[in-house]
Amino acid sequence: SIPGTNVLGCMKFVGAPASIVFRTPFLRYMTLYPSIHVDRASIIKSIVENGTSTGLVPDGIAGIFKQSDHAEVVALKHRKGMARLALSTGTPIIPAYSFNNTAAFSAWWDPYGILENISRKMQASLFLYWGRFGCCPIPRRVQITMVYGEPIRVDKVEGGNPTMEQVDELHERILDGIRDCFESHKHALGLGEKELIFE
């Protein structure tokens, strides 16, 4: 967790939620906690000026609508903003994967993509979900495990404008890092039959 990383780690670490969190009643009070105060528009300032380690869920809202019972699907194949940001700031990346998040809740959304499109425009997730007891918004008792991979060193691009080739190369390294995290630990966590798919 973010608080645990701050307590046990050797540097400040913050989460960067979608900007709508800061404008949503009840949710915005979460941002009063010192570890969840960076909105995504100020990530560059946080990294460059303050030297703060910043956590991102790179597939964002799109990833929610890729949930599957048979595979772990990550909507990251064509989302290259993190690679572009890292190259423009010279910021290293630590790939990570969180196991069993999709087991905590079940979700439903329409098959026509209406809720997904509205969610993307609003920058907020609109879907039905349930956990324990079949109808409650209480997560099922599952073991959530976060694993980390080897740091990916990134050289800052002069002028801060990386080429598409540079972005693509780093993006593939990020995907490989996430895949290594998943494949190296899935058997130990009882998920040996699961496959990781990037869409």
Side-chain angles (χ1 to χ4, degrees), residues 10-181:
C10 58
M11 62 177 61
K12 186 177 180 183
F13 180 82
V14 297
S19 58
I20 194 171
V21 171
F22 296 86
R23 305 191 300 271
T24 304
F26 303 109
L27 283 180
R28 66 184 177 192
Y29 295 111
M30 292 172 52
T31 64
L32 296 176
Y33 191 83
S35 296
I36 313 174
H37 73 277
V38 180
D39 69 315
R40 296 197 174 194
S42 61
I43 290 174
I44 294 179
K45 182 178 179 181
S46 174
I47 293 173
V48 176
E49 295 185 8
N50 302 326
T52 302
S53 296
T54 304
L56 294 171
V57 178
D59 64 351
I61 291 171
I64 294 172
F65 294 94
K66 300 295 183 183
Q67 184 175 338
S68 168
D69 294 330
H70 311 293
E72 294 290 292
V73 183
V74 180
L76 194 56
K77 188 174 182 179
H78 304 291
R79 300 169 71 91
K80 304 178 182 181
M82 184 165 57
R84 186 175 289 104
L85 175 63
L87 287 165
S88 64
T89 59
T91 304
I93 295 172
I94 299 179
Y97 195 84
S98 183
F99 285 90
N100 273 333
N101 279 12
T102 54
F105 291 102
S106 297
W108 179 91
W109 55 89
D110 67 280
Y112 309 107
I114 297 172
L115 287 177
E116 181 176 1
N117 289 330
I118 294 174
S119 295
R120 290 189 180 186
K121 288 178 181 178
M122 292 182 61
Q123 294 186 7
S125 305
L126 301 176
F127 60 96
L128 298 177
Y129 69 96
W130 61 94
R132 205 184 309 178
F133 312 123
C135 60
C136 297
I138 302 173
R140 300 185 183 97
R141 287 184 177 272
V142 294
Q143 178 179 322
I144 306 292
T145 304
M146 176 76 79
V147 299
Y148 299 92
E150 292 293 323
I152 300 172
R153 308 275 179 194
V154 181
D155 294 324
K156 183 177 180 179
V157 173
E158 260 188 66
N161 293 311
T163 65
M164 202 64 239
E165 289 77 13
Q166 290 171 316
V167 171
D168 288 343
E169 189 272 336
L170 178 56
H171 182 67
E172 286 302 319
R173 289 169 61 195
I174 294 170
L175 296 185
D176 288 342
I178 296 173
R179 187 180 292 105
D180 286 344
C181 287

